[in-house]
Amino acid sequence: MIKIRFKDNFLDPMWIMEKSCSIGSSDTNHLTLNHPSIAPLHAKLLNKGDQLVIKEASSSPIYVNGLKTTQQSLIKGDQVQLGDITFIIVDPLADLDKPNTAQWSLIADSNWLTGQEFKINANVNQDVIIGRNAECDITFPGTHLSRRHASVTVNEQSLTLADLKSANGTFVNEKSIKTPTEIRAGDRIRFDVYSFRVFGPGLKVITNQASRPRAAGPIHAKPINPIKTTPKNWKVRPTSPGNREETALKKRENMISWLTAIAILGGFIGLVTYLFTR
């Protein structure tokens, strides 16, 4: 999971959940940036497990920390500019040690909620009610949810999720739960069709790395590896100059022998013809 924050509050901070996230002004993208300076499909963010890469997807330029590039690996603190829009790769774990800050969140990874973060603002042993009713602590106006669908209780190092007799069920890592179940950072929970990743202490994200000095100048896509060619192993007979001269001499001798045989045969035919025509 990757978290980005927009400069000038263009959009609320967002999480990138997809392994390949398209970015552009078109509504068909995973991340839509509705701005005239953004191409319909401007760029792609690629999550390669332990590396995050921004890649050009059109002729529109990409800048990372002010340097133009076509493809660039990213780390926390990097600033990516697409058109007139700039966002920053942030360390989502940086806030976990701050006092008076929510330590747990639910990160949506399905449907129209994808990328949105819902903080669990509660103290230890306090319940948070989730459902479609406006009186719930976390409200999703989806018809698939019950009015009071589930509850989350905050523990010291985990959460406890309980289904509140919902119509369409509550799931932890795709298993339906009937009794209160402990969940931890990184688990996937689902309320019918709405699914979320649990964010909190103990979660590992790929941007949790120290900033490193970046080389001066733009870093472009990896160069294409040159085609490796293997010299052909021609099969030849090694020969010395003496051997070559000897071969040529034999060829001349064979030619003389053929000419001599033809001359003798011609003479014999002529003699026979003369004798029979007298």
Side-chain angles (χ1 to χ4, degrees):
M1 297 189 294
I2 311 301
K3 191 173 184 180
I4 62 175
R5 185 178 68 249
F6 290 88
K7 269 195 167 184
D8 302 321
N9 297 319
F10 178 75
L11 289 175
D12 291 335
M14 294 191 66
W15 289 78
I16 305 300
M17 310 300 293
E18 298 82 4
K19 289 186 177 180
S20 177
C21 174
S22 59
I23 306 173
S25 59
S26 172
D27 292 337
T28 59
N29 292 293
H30 297 101
L31 175 55
T32 300
L33 303 180
N34 189 9
H35 193 274
S37 66
I38 303 297
L41 176 58
H42 201 113
K44 286 187 176 183
L45 272 175
L46 306 177
N47 186 343
K48 298 185 176 181
D50 60 348
Q51 187 181 31
L52 178 65
V53 175
I54 184 79
K55 184 178 182 180
E56 184 182 73
S58 67
S59 57
S60 301
I62 298 173
Y63 297 88
V64 176
N65 300 325
L67 302 177
K68 187 177 181 180
T69 184
T70 57
Q71 181 171 307
Q72 174 76 62
S73 61
L74 302 174
I75 60 173
K76 65 180 181 181
D78 281 346
Q79 296 191 25
V80 178
Q81 181 182 347
L82 308 178
D84 295 334
I85 306 302
T86 299
F87 61 84
I88 304 168
I89 308 299
V90 300
D91 181 2
L93 304 182
D95 293 335
L96 291 183
D97 296 328
K98 293 182 180 179
N100 303 319
T101 301
Q103 301 290 292
W104 298 91
S105 297
L106 301 182
I107 313 300
D109 66 355
S110 65
N111 298 300
W112 51 273
L113 296 172
T114 298
Q116 296 184 45
E117 180 177 5
F118 301 88
K119 293 185 179 296
I120 300 176
N121 294 306
N123 298 319
V124 174
N125 298 325
Q126 185 178 354
D127 293 340
V128 173
I129 306 300
I130 300 170
R132 76 169 191 267
N133 194 310
E135 296 180 356
C136 292
D137 299 298
I138 298 178
T139 303
F140 305 120
T143 57
H144 295 275
L145 266 68
S146 298
R147 289 183 174 86
R148 289 168 56 91
H149 196 105
S151 69
V152 172
T153 304
V154 178
N155 308 317
E156 291 290 347
Q157 295 296 324
S158 64
L159 302 173
T160 298
L161 178 66
D163 183 75
L164 300 180
K165 298 181 180 180
S166 66
N168 296 321
T170 299
F171 302 80
V172 175
N173 298 325
E174 295 307 319
K175 292 182 179 180
S176 177
I177 64 170
K178 303 300 181 184
T179 59
T181 302
E182 183 182 41
I183 57 176
R184 294 183 177 274
D187 283 341
R188 189 171 188 261
I189 64 175
R190 179 165 61 86
F191 311 119
D192 191 55
V193 297
Y194 300 97
S195 61
F196 305 83
R197 289 287 181 182
V198 179
F199 173 78
L203 182 68
K204 294 181 179 180
V205 293
I206 69 171
T207 52
N208 185 24
Q209 54 181 304
S211 300
R212 57 181 180 272
R214 191 177 295 285
I219 301 176
H220 300 281
K222 293 182 179 180
I224 299 175
N225 292 329
I227 299 175
K228 295 181 179 180
T229 57
T230 303
K232 294 182 178 180
N233 294 322
W234 298 104
K235 294 183 178 180
V236 296
R237 293 181 179 177
T239 120
S240 65
N243 289 337
R244 291 197 292 272
E245 290 175 1
E246 183 179 350
T247 301
L249 179 59
K250 287 183 178 179
K251 287 183 178 180
R252 287 196 296 272
E253 290 176 349
N254 291 336
M255 182 63 70
I256 293 173
S257 298
W258 275 103
L259 292 175
T260 302
I262 293 172
I264 293 173
L265 180 61
F268 176 75
I269 293 173
L271 177 61
V272 171
T273 304
Y274 172 76
L275 291 176
F276 278 94
T277 56
R278 286 184 63 185

